[in-house]
Amino acid sequence: MHYSREQLIVLFTYLPVLVAAWMALRRYRGADHPVKLLCWLIFFALLIESISRIFWFFKVSNLFLWPIYITVEFGLLTWIYSLVLDRKWLITLRGWMLAAFTGIVLVRELGQPGQSVWIDNAGRSIESVVVIFMALAYFYKVFQELKVQNLLLEPFFWVSAGLLLFFSGNFLIFIFMNFILLYSKNLNDQIWVIHALMNYMLYITYAIALWVGRGK
């Protein structure tokens, strides 16, 4: 079976997730609570990627996994940052934020029956804004407190940097994704390649975060 270059790039996004999952497995037992939650996020991503590849090989739409993944990812990232930032208001609101986000995603999914090739860009766009805010709040906290001697040895420096780059870069992609799909299939394929490369970057930063934090 022949695959295009774009398809191979998207297909092999599985590899950095697998590397990050291997690091998460090694680090999990001795990790603190936020890092354990990051490990769970990586394990869940590996599960979704595995199921997605199976459907992809059998040429069956795997887009039904999308709302499941972004909802779980949103919930875990909000939980992680509520602990890392140590802000009572975020700890109090994280459950309500997840409930509201889940409701929005469900309404969007149920409101678009039969559009199996479309992606719910509203959910991802909202998630992008919230995660960008939390990543920036982490950097503000670190630079304000000045307690960290070497940022490169801080796991959540790498996590926050990866998330900030990933969601900043993908924000416009997900806003215009469905329009691009209608406009040009070739352009849509190129956009998915960009998204795949950014996904590589995100899970590489996750793996680095777990690696540099192994001694803590």
Side-chain angles (χ1 to χ4, degrees):
M1 184 179 294
H2 174 72
Y3 294 111
S4 67
R5 181 182 62 181
E6 290 81 4
Q7 287 176 321
L8 289 174
I9 291 173
V10 173
L11 179 63
F12 284 109
T13 53
Y14 187 83
L15 293 180
V17 180
L18 190 62
V19 171
W22 178 75
M23 282 299 304
L25 192 63
R26 289 174 57 90
R27 281 275 288 116
Y28 184 82
R29 181 171 294 182
D32 58 15
H33 197 187
V35 175
K36 283 186 176 180
L37 291 173
L38 175 64
C39 292
W40 278 110
L41 175 59
I42 295 169
F43 295 148
F44 181 74
L46 181 64
L47 174 63
I48 292 295
E49 287 287 344
S50 300
I51 297 172
S52 175
R53 292 301 178 274
I54 293 171
F55 279 95
W56 191 78
F57 278 120
F58 285 100
K59 300 185 182 301
V60 177
S61 174
N62 54 23
L63 290 183
F64 73 94
L65 296 169
W66 181 258
I68 299 172
Y69 176 73
I70 65 172
T71 301
V72 173
E73 181 184 52
F74 179 86
L76 285 173
L77 287 176
T78 305
W79 193 356
I80 288 170
Y81 275 100
S82 70
L83 299 176
V84 172
L85 296 174
D86 193 24
R87 294 292 184 263
K88 290 184 179 179
W89 65 268
L90 186 54
I91 293 173
T92 302
L93 288 179
R94 68 191 181 194
W96 293 101
M97 291 169 64
L98 178 58
F101 183 80
T102 303
I104 292 170
V105 171
L106 284 175
V107 168
R108 294 283 298 182
E109 286 298 311
L110 294 175
Q112 298 182 21
Q115 297 179 352
S116 59
V117 297
W118 282 34
I119 289 177
D120 174 33
N121 48 17
R124 193 58 145 171
S125 299
I126 294 170
E127 182 189 18
S128 297
V129 172
V130 173
V131 174
I132 289 170
F133 171 78
M134 292 190 297
L136 289 174
Y138 169 80
F139 287 118
Y140 176 79
K141 173 180 165 61
V142 169
F143 290 120
Q144 184 186 49
E145 294 179 349
L146 297 177
K147 294 180 179 178
V148 179
Q149 295 182 347
N150 189 344
L151 275 176
L152 297 181
L153 296 180
E154 285 296 311
F156 282 96
F157 166 78
W158 290 98
V159 172
S160 298
L163 289 171
L164 186 60
L165 291 172
F166 178 82
F167 282 103
S168 296
N170 278 294
F171 181 70
L172 291 177
I173 288 178
F174 285 105
I175 288 179
F176 295 107
M177 178 65 75
N178 291 326
F179 170 77
I180 292 171
L181 179 61
L182 293 174
Y183 178 75
S184 168
K185 184 181 183 304
N186 182 59
L187 181 57
N188 180 70
D189 291 342
Q190 296 302 318
I191 291 296
W192 275 114
V193 169
I194 295 172
H195 174 260
L197 293 174
M198 297 187 74
N199 210 57
Y200 277 66
M201 179 273 302
L202 178 62
Y203 282 91
I204 288 172
T205 59
Y206 282 171
I208 294 173
L210 293 170
W211 175 259
V212 300
R214 67 193 184 281
K216 294 193 174 188

